[in-house]
């Protein structure tokens, strides 16, 4: 029973940690998509959910929409560029004042256009003109059409994947709290380091003042008594060659001679 309780607690703790990590990841993706597209938090999270449900990588989808926003803004001049973009899209993309329509209004129309196009080079070329290199990756999302995207948005709401401004703010607050903690710890380390470094410097200086002369004295003594060291070395070599080595050889020969009788 105790083991079961401990295992259950461990699973609960891991699930809680995984839940926090998942929220941070999803909220981060939604925040980035919101910045790029100008969508509300709810619509950005619904679109991120639709990316996932259609197998589109969130990073590639966001980059594609970022390039689309750039292309639309660059073409909103009311002149030839605007006319060319309108022809390419098949519908108007600016309001009466010449501003680009909200992405929440444009994407259903754009998805409806792609869903009605036959698969092939023409559809792929259009996707790449509008979304850049990410265009081909976005085709499964665009092929859903306006109704398909609306169904996915409802499913996002149903399954609790649609975030609110309050939830997104929780991620920002968490990041800021972590930055404040890091800043406080850095300040503590800087203060402590500034006090410890002079102490370590004094300690190292004291050691050096005592140790370096001692090392130099030993070196000088060894140099002055080189003859004594040479004599000691010669004595050790004589003992090895004339005493130790014969004993080792004798032991080996004796063992070899007694090997068979002992066996």
């Amino acid at each position: 029973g105790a083991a079961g309780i401990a295992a259950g607690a461990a699973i609960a703790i891991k699930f809680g940690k995984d839940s926090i990590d998942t929220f941070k990841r999803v909220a981060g993706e939604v925040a980035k998509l919101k910045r790029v597209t100008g969508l509300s938090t709810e619509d950005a999270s619904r679109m991120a959910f639709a990316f996932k449900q259609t197998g589109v990588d969130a990073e590639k989808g966001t980059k594609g929409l970022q390039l689309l926003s750039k292309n639309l803004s660059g073409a909103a001049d009311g002149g030839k560029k605007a006319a060319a973009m309108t022809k390419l899209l098949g519908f108007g993309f600016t309001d009466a004042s010449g501003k680009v329509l909200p992405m929440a209004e444009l994407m259903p129309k754009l998805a409806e256009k792609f869903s009605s196009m036959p698969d092939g080079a023409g559809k792929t070329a259009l996707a790449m003109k509008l979304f850049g290199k990410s265009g081909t990756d976005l085709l499964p999302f665009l092929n859903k059409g306006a109704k398909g995207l609306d169904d996915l948005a409802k499913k996002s709401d149903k399954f609790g994947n649609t975030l609110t401004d309050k939830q997104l703010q929780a991620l920002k607050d968490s990041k800021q709290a972590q930055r404040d903690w890091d800043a406080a710890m850095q300040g503590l380390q800087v203060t402590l380091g500034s006090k410890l470094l002079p102490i370590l410097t004094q300690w190292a200086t004291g050691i050096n003042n005592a140790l370096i002369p001692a090392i130099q004295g030993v070196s000088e003594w060894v140099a002055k008594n080189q003859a004594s060291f040479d004599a000691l070395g010669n004595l050790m070599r004589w003992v090895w060659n004339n005493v130790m080595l014969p004993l080792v050889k004798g032991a080996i020969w004796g063992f070899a001679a007694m090997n068979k009788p002992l066996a």
Side-chain angles (χ1 to χ4, degrees):
I5 293 173
I11 292 172
I13 291 171
K14 185 180 185 307
F15 185 77
K17 180 183 181 301
D18 291 344
S19 298
I20 293 173
D21 293 340
T22 299
F23 171 72
K24 286 183 176 181
R25 175 180 56 78
V26 173
E29 293 172 353
V30 170
K32 188 173 183 179
L33 189 58
K34 180 182 179 181
R35 287 196 303 270
V36 168
T37 60
L39 292 167
S40 66
T41 301
E42 289 80 3
D43 286 339
S45 56
R46 290 177 183 125
M47 186 173 289
F49 177 80
F51 283 161
K52 185 175 181 61
Q53 289 292 302
T54 53
V56 177
D57 179 73
E59 184 68 22
K60 290 182 178 179
T62 301
K63 286 183 178 179
L65 291 181
Q66 185 176 21
L67 186 58
L68 174 64
S69 298
K70 181 179 179 182
N71 290 335
L72 294 176
S73 298
D77 61 350
K80 293 182 179 180
K81 290 183 178 180
M85 180 59 74
T86 300
K87 183 179 180 180
L88 189 65
L89 295 172
F91 56 84
F93 66 97
T94 57
D95 58 17
S97 61
K99 293 183 178 180
V100 177
L101 292 171
M103 193 64 68
E105 186 177 338
L106 289 173
M107 285 310 300
K109 295 181 179 180
L110 198 53
E112 195 64 23
K113 177 180 177 63
F114 273 93
S115 67
S116 64
M117 294 177 66
D119 292 335
K123 179 185 283 191
T124 302
L126 177 60
M128 294 189 72
K129 282 182 180 179
L130 295 174
F131 301 98
K133 294 180 180 179
S134 301
T136 53
D137 296 307
L138 277 166
L139 283 175
F141 166 80
L142 296 168
N143 285 337
K144 283 291 183 180
K147 185 179 184 308
L149 294 185
D150 184 60
D151 290 341
L152 288 173
K154 291 177 181 177
K155 187 181 288 187
S156 176
D157 295 345
K158 178 181 178 181
F159 293 151
N161 287 274
T162 302
L163 303 183
T164 63
D165 289 335
K166 184 178 180 180
Q167 289 172 314
L168 210 58
Q169 186 62 42
L171 177 65
K172 295 179 182 178
D173 293 342
S174 173
K175 289 183 177 179
Q176 187 57 53
Q178 184 62 52
R179 294 190 188 104
D180 291 344
W181 169 260
D182 292 341
M185 291 303 297
Q186 179 175 307
L188 174 61
Q189 291 172 337
V190 168
T191 302
L192 187 61
S194 66
K195 304 300 181 183
L196 287 176
L197 184 60
I199 297 174
L200 292 176
T201 301
Q202 292 176 1
W203 180 78
T205 302
I207 292 295
N208 290 338
N209 291 337
L211 192 59
I212 291 177
I215 293 174
Q216 290 174 338
V218 171
S219 299
E220 293 174 359
W221 182 84
V222 169
K224 291 179 180 178
N225 295 274
Q226 186 65 45
S228 299
F229 282 97
D230 291 341
L232 181 60
N234 292 331
L235 177 61
M236 292 176 67
R237 282 193 293 272
W238 185 90
V239 170
W240 170 255
N241 291 328
N242 296 282
V243 179
M244 299 302 297
L245 191 57
L247 290 175
V248 172
K249 288 180 179 180
I252 294 174
W253 291 335
F255 179 77
M258 295 297 295
N259 186 26
K260 289 183 178 182
L262 288 173

